[in-house]
Amino acid sequence: MSFRKKNSIVFKVTLWYSAFILILLSLLVGGAYLVATNLADAKGQAKLQEDTLELAQDIKEYESFDDGIYYALYAKDGTVLRSSFPRNFKQNLPFSQENVKQVTVKGVTYQYFDVCVKDSSDWLRAIRLRPKLDHEMLFFLGSLALAAPLLVVAVVFGGYRILKRAFIPVEQMSQTALAITKSHDYTKRIPVTQKENELSRLAQTFNKMLASIERSFEREKQFNHDVSHELRTPIAVILAESEYAKDYATQLDEAKDSAQTINRQAKNMKELLEQLLELTRLEAGQPIPCATFDLSEMLAQQLADQQKILMKKGLILKQELEPEVLYYGNELLCQRLVANLLSNACKFAQKEISVTLKKQAQNVILTVTDDGRGIKETELDKIWDKFYQSDQARSKAQNNGVGLGLALVKDIVLKHQGQVKVTSTLGKKTTFTITLPLRH
């Protein structure tokens, strides 16, 4: 037997309960034998005493052997008057009118009982062989002894088959995990039977875990691809501009133009890396430091800082802020949240942007609305994905975004146990609604 098979759970469990059943059956057979023997012995001794006492009361009915009992009549001095002794029994044993006594000669045990004969000085001794089991009990014990091995074989075989079948999903899990490890194919799944039991539920849980790993793996692949794609363009531009400035720029203005291009692309890369680092920190699951601050004041300051930029683009900023809204959270992250929402609105707004802040029950509601061209309904769920940009070619050409701002907004809101949703009407407006629970 192989080492693997010896160490399998099925083998160990089968071995354990087989040994247990063998011990249990042995105890049952042995116990049944002892009980039956003692019962037969007690019954025989009672009959020996009863028949001897009855014969001693009426010695005229004396018979030397009756119903398996030998009788011997002794004179007071121990002389045998009449007798019938079983073979090898010692005839000169002392008399004692007490309980049944026994003696063993050459491996045979005899039981005898002495009693004084009525109206006489003689002794009556009754002798019998120690009783053996009767035929019915012997048949029962013999049948049990014969059936026990068959019963053990049936139980062991049946139990082994049930365990073997029950552990098939476990073996399939092992094989699937091994196959995934070798092939890195996370699309593989464990077959789940229709029977509802612990192992089928375990298989379902394992499949869900594989699905989660597959999604994470795909997201990681997509993330790496997107990062590489986003970095490739500015790096290519920087290389091209630097080589042009080095090899061909003969005028200072040409060199300045190349330097400005390189500087602009470097800033884009810096922004991309900062956003990625911020996202990585948020998704690491580490707790963020929080404190109570005036959200109204912070938002008003952010809007004031953006005012000139919006005016330069010809945009009107409308605001309706409830004063003195105290909020317990991370102020720096909330500043980043507001800055990203305003930046996003600024990219797509046609004429105006409106911002509102108010308390509602135990929440604070922040909305940012732009009158841009809107977002298609099919894209509403995708805008939170990293590097996703609606109408990408147009967005990149006009807005220079890196596609991480809204993903960062969502992570910041979730980090504050809040909710974020977006509603949009094509050609009219888009509204981002942030709901943050008021905590103390």
Side-chain angles (χ1 to χ4, degrees):
M1 186 176 295
S2 66
F3 178 79
R4 181 182 177 186
K5 194 168 184 178
K6 283 183 178 178
N7 285 279
S8 73
I9 296 177
V10 174
F11 177 77
K12 289 182 177 178
V13 172
T14 303
L15 184 63
W16 187 88
Y17 76 72
S18 300
F20 177 78
I21 291 174
L22 282 174
I23 294 173
L24 182 62
L25 284 175
S26 299
L27 291 175
L28 285 175
V29 173
Y33 176 79
L34 289 176
V35 170
T37 302
N38 289 332
L39 285 176
D41 190 34
K43 183 179 177 181
Q45 289 189 36
K47 179 175 175 48
L48 180 67
Q49 289 178 306
E50 183 182 346
D51 290 355
T52 306
L53 290 170
E54 183 179 346
L55 182 60
Q57 294 296 319
D58 188 6
I59 197 66
K60 295 179 181 176
E61 299 293 329
Y62 175 84
E63 292 182 9
S64 60
F65 181 79
D66 182 28
D67 198 13
I69 301 176
Y70 298 87
Y71 293 100
L73 190 62
Y74 287 83
K76 182 179 179 180
D77 57 359
T79 304
V80 177
L81 302 177
R82 290 187 289 179
S83 67
S84 175
F85 294 106
R87 183 183 297 177
N88 298 325
F89 180 78
K90 295 179 179 178
Q91 300 180 14
N92 56 350
L93 294 172
F95 296 104
S96 176
Q97 189 171 353
E98 296 177 352
N99 297 327
V100 174
K101 298 174 285 297
Q102 67 180 27
V103 61
T104 301
V105 180
K106 296 183 178 179
V108 179
T109 300
Y110 305 92
Q111 292 180 332
Y112 62 98
F113 181 67
D114 299 329
V115 63
C116 287
V117 178
K118 183 181 178 182
D119 302 328
S120 172
S121 59
D122 297 339
W123 285 86
L124 177 64
R125 168 167 290 173
I127 308 153
R128 71 170 194 143
L129 295 173
R130 187 176 183 181
K132 296 181 179 178
L133 297 178
D134 54 29
H135 293 296
E136 290 78 7
M137 186 57 68
L138 284 174
F139 178 77
F140 170 74
L141 292 176
S143 301
L144 186 60
L146 290 174
L150 299 177
L151 179 63
V152 170
V153 171
V155 170
V156 170
F157 180 75
Y160 178 80
R161 293 280 298 174
I162 292 173
L163 280 173
K164 191 72 176 175
R165 290 177 62 85
F167 273 80
I168 287 177
V170 177
E171 182 64 23
Q172 289 174 333
M173 289 180 208
S174 175
Q175 295 297 329
T176 304
L178 185 62
I180 290 174
T181 302
K182 291 180 177 177
S183 64
H184 299 286
D185 182 5
Y186 294 98
T187 61
K188 293 182 181 297
R189 297 291 183 271
I190 298 172
V192 180
T193 62
Q194 297 298 323
K195 296 179 180 177
E196 181 69 18
N197 54 36
E198 294 83 351
L199 291 177
S200 66
R201 288 194 290 275
L202 178 60
Q204 291 172 356
T205 304
F206 195 82
N207 283 340
K208 290 179 181 177
M209 183 185 70
L210 286 175
S212 176
I213 292 174
E214 182 186 4
R215 289 194 295 272
S216 299
F217 183 72
E218 292 299 325
R219 282 199 299 270
E220 184 179 351
K221 281 202 311 184
Q222 185 63 40
F223 180 78
N224 292 334
H225 174 270
D226 292 339
V227 169
S228 301
H229 178 75
E230 292 296 327
L231 289 176
R232 185 183 301 120
T233 300
I235 289 175
V237 173
I238 289 173
L239 287 173
E241 287 293 337
S242 60
E243 288 176 358
Y244 175 82
K246 177 172 68 72
D247 296 334
Y248 303 105
T250 56
Q251 303 295 323
L252 180 60
D253 291 341
E254 290 180 324
K256 283 184 177 180
D257 287 342
S258 296
Q260 288 175 353
T261 302
I262 292 172
N263 180 262
R264 187 165 55 251
Q265 295 300 327
K267 286 181 178 178
N268 288 340
M269 294 172 62
K270 179 174 177 290
E271 181 186 359
L272 172 63
L273 293 176
E274 287 178 347
Q275 300 267 31
L276 286 174
L277 289 173
E278 197 70 50
L279 281 170
T280 302
R281 280 195 290 268
L282 287 174
E283 292 176 353
Q286 297 177 353
I288 56 174
C290 295
T292 301
F293 63 96
D294 191 330
L295 183 58
S296 303
E297 183 178 342
M298 185 275 286
L299 185 55
Q301 184 62 50
Q302 287 282 311
L303 295 177
D305 293 343
Q306 295 283 335
Q307 188 67 45
K308 291 183 179 178
I309 299 175
L310 298 178
M311 289 177 62
K312 188 181 295 184
K313 293 188 174 184
L315 298 175
I316 300 172
L317 176 63
K318 295 181 178 179
Q319 51 184 299
E320 182 179 349
L321 309 180
E322 182 173 330
E324 298 180 352
V325 175
L326 299 180
Y327 179 69
Y328 183 80
N330 186 290
E331 187 171 0
L332 289 176
L333 289 179
C334 289
Q335 289 177 359
R336 178 62 65 89
L337 182 151
V338 173
N340 284 353
L341 284 176
L342 290 175
S343 175
N344 181 75
C346 186
K347 292 174 186 174
F348 299 103
Q350 300 297 320
K351 294 182 179 177
E352 66 177 37
I353 297 173
S354 62
V355 179
T356 66
L357 178 70
K358 62 182 179 181
K359 286 197 293 187
Q360 189 175 76
Q362 296 300 313
N363 298 315
V364 56
I365 311 296
L366 168 65
T367 66
V368 177
T369 303
D370 68 75
D371 60 349
R373 53 190 172 82
I375 306 171
K376 295 178 182 176
E377 186 174 354
T378 54
E379 297 180 339
L380 288 178
D381 291 336
K382 301 177 181 177
I383 62 173
W384 309 108
D385 295 341
K386 301 179 182 68
F387 299 107
Y388 183 82
Q389 297 185 39
S390 176
D391 195 0
Q392 293 194 9
R394 183 172 179 276
S395 298
K396 284 182 178 299
Q398 295 185 354
N399 303 312
N400 261 346
V402 296
L404 292 174
L406 292 180
L408 189 55
V409 166
K410 184 179 180 181
D411 280 358
I412 293 173
V413 172
L414 294 179
K415 206 67 178 179
H416 287 80
Q417 286 82 50
Q419 295 178 345
V420 56
K421 69 175 184 178
V422 57
T423 57
S424 183
T425 304
L426 283 178
K428 292 186 177 179
K429 64 177 182 180
T430 299
T431 300
F432 289 86
T433 303
I434 310 296
T435 303
L436 298 172
L438 287 171
R439 300 177 297 170
H440 302 284

